[in-house]
Amino acid sequence: MLNIAFKAADQEGLLLLDLKDLQALLAFMAENASKFTGVYGNVSKASVGSIQRQLLVLEQQGAEAFFGEPALDLMDLARTAPDGRGIINVLAAETLIQAPRLYATFLLWLLSELFERLPEVGDPDKPKLVFFFDEAHLLFDDAPKALVEKVEQVVRLIRSKGVGVYFVTQNPIDVPDKVLAQLGNRAQHALRAFTPRDQKALKASADTFRTEGKLDVARALQELAVGEALVSFLDPKGIPEVVERALVCPPVSRLGPISDAERQAAIAAGGMNAKYSTAIDRESAYEKLTAKAAEAQQEAAAAAEEKAQAKQGPSMAESIFRDVIRSAGSSVGTQLGRSLGRSVGGTAAGTLGSSIGRAVVRGILGSLFGGRR
């Protein structure tokens, strides 16, 4: 049904830029179901209504403010500084993550756009773009099947487009096996095994590292202290290296949330605030369909009014006015005829003049009332 909606939008020249455009298009399809059925196949009002209900769920999660213009330009995520260093872009998703349907919809769009826009580059020395998905278990918990399939596709194929993907999570079993199988670089911090599930996860994590017997991985995973990790990366030939226990350089950062003032300062310094801070609402499907519906409603009201007037005949005021004018016209015609007759002379001439005068006035009244007498 959505495929039909998008095709119909193209045929009708309707831009779909935001959520209300799609809602207006679906309402238009439901009202003109017979028209679209003849062109695209069966268009069921029930099916359209089902989609509208799902859009209502998205709207309640904030989709109305999330989708629209200016749209996110993926190339803005791949910007570099004047000295050639990459720029870190942070999606503040602490509120968005509470709306799983909306979050999944955004990620599906993001990953699909990557495949459509980025060219194949083979195996570059450094990636054009790197994604870090923090709290990755939230990405896969109760995720729609379409999203999981798209993530798997991205992980398998995105490296050839110069994009790296990293999943950040406490426990490796939070990430589906098909996704884990495609990952190469790995940094594993400490794992604690307090429950049977934890013990299973610990064993699974230890068995997936490449070892040469020098390191007891399962034991090391439980002994790692703050700042330590087991690391294994791909060598120049793409082969996983032997796992090693390593110290991680402390980050130059602060553990904890930043203040609102610091966030606003970072946004202002990012250089993208002017581009994305002001919403744009161009004429699109919603405006065109709304105007079309209003025009059709006015035409229907005018036609109904004409039909009602035709059934009722002349109004009471018009009838009274006509009778008064006719009565006065007869008197005026008689006086006019008599005056004309006196100027000619004789009784017969006066009588004839009265008839002529009344005929003249009837002709004038007939032209005023459109020929009705």
Side-chain angles (χ1 to χ4, degrees):
M1 193 61 62
L2 284 175
N3 286 332
I4 294 176
F6 297 146
K7 181 66 176 179
D10 291 338
Q11 294 293 331
E12 299 284 339
L14 302 173
L15 287 175
L16 300 179
L17 301 177
D18 50 32
L19 194 64
K20 69 177 185 296
D21 287 333
L22 181 55
Q23 291 170 327
L25 176 62
L26 290 171
F28 179 70
M29 289 176 59
E31 293 171 0
N32 300 272
S34 58
K35 170 186 174 182
F36 289 102
T37 297
V39 179
Y40 304 109
N42 185 36
V43 174
S44 168
K45 290 185 178 181
S47 298
V48 174
S50 176
I51 297 174
Q52 290 174 318
R53 288 191 295 273
Q54 296 299 323
L55 289 179
L56 179 61
V57 175
L58 282 178
E59 184 178 4
Q60 291 174 341
Q61 294 188 0
E64 185 176 359
F66 194 77
F67 295 102
E69 290 187 307
L72 177 62
D73 186 352
L74 293 182
M75 294 302 100
D76 288 339
L77 299 177
R79 293 178 300 142
T80 56
D83 60 2
R85 292 183 298 168
I87 293 178
I88 297 176
N89 301 275
V90 181
L91 174 65
E94 64 271 14
T95 302
L96 182 61
I97 201 68
Q98 298 175 15
R101 287 176 180 266
L102 185 59
Y103 188 44
T105 303
F106 165 71
L107 289 179
L108 277 172
W109 169 82
L110 179 65
L111 299 177
S112 299
E113 281 289 298
L114 282 175
F115 272 102
E116 290 182 11
R117 295 192 57 182
L118 295 180
E120 296 283 343
V121 295
D123 187 15
D125 294 334
K126 62 179 181 180
K128 293 182 177 181
L129 184 64
V130 178
F131 282 103
F132 290 87
F133 290 100
D134 195 14
E135 301 295 346
H137 64 280
L138 297 176
L139 178 62
F140 296 105
D141 287 349
D142 301 323
K145 182 180 179 182
L147 176 59
V148 177
E149 291 176 350
K150 181 61 69 173
V151 172
E152 294 173 359
Q153 182 187 34
V154 168
V155 174
R156 287 197 306 269
L157 305 176
I158 205 67
R159 282 196 297 268
S160 64
K161 293 180 177 286
V163 177
V165 180
Y166 289 83
F167 295 98
V168 185
T169 184
Q170 180 66 27
N171 202 320
I173 65 174
D174 293 333
V175 181
D177 292 339
K178 291 183 179 180
V179 175
L180 280 177
Q182 300 296 326
L183 303 181
N185 300 328
R186 185 172 175 185
Q188 177 67 59
H189 292 278
L191 287 175
R192 304 290 182 250
F194 298 110
T195 66
R197 182 180 182 275
D198 294 338
Q199 293 174 357
K200 180 180 178 181
L202 175 65
K203 185 178 185 305
S205 180
D207 292 342
T208 54
F209 279 105
R210 178 189 170 193
T211 63
E212 291 184 350
K214 298 179 181 180
L215 180 66
D216 187 344
V217 178
R219 181 176 179 179
L221 282 174
Q222 300 179 76
E223 296 176 347
L224 293 174
V226 176
E228 284 189 301
L230 296 182
V231 296
S232 175
F233 296 97
L234 299 179
D235 64 17
K237 295 183 179 181
I239 302 174
E241 295 177 337
V242 176
V243 61
E244 295 184 14
R245 185 169 180 170
L247 289 172
V248 179
C249 293
V252 183
S253 63
R254 182 180 70 206
L255 296 179
I258 62 175
S259 65
D260 291 338
E262 290 172 318
R263 173 174 293 188
Q264 294 303 320
I267 292 174
M272 291 286 104
N273 191 41
K275 180 176 181 179
Y276 292 107
S277 60
T278 303
I280 301 174
D281 190 7
R282 290 190 289 159
E283 184 184 53
S284 50
Y286 174 78
E287 287 77 14
K288 289 187 176 181
L289 290 175
T290 301
K292 191 173 184 179
E295 183 179 350
Q297 187 175 7
Q298 290 178 356
E299 292 177 354
E305 185 177 354
E306 287 184 10
K307 188 176 181 180
Q309 288 180 354
K311 288 183 177 180
Q312 293 175 358
S315 64
M316 181 179 294
E318 183 181 355
S319 299
I320 295 173
F321 178 71
R322 182 184 293 114
D323 292 341
V324 170
I325 292 299
R326 282 175 177 167
S327 176
S330 177
S331 176
V332 170
T334 302
Q335 294 300 325
L336 176 63
R338 286 175 180 173
S339 297
L340 179 63
R342 282 195 298 272
S343 65
V344 176
T347 304
T351 303
L352 177 61
S354 298
S355 300
I356 294 173
R358 286 193 295 270
V360 170
V361 174
R362 281 200 301 271
I364 295 174
L365 293 179
S367 65
L368 290 177
F369 290 106
R372 293 196 301 269
R373 292 174 171 79

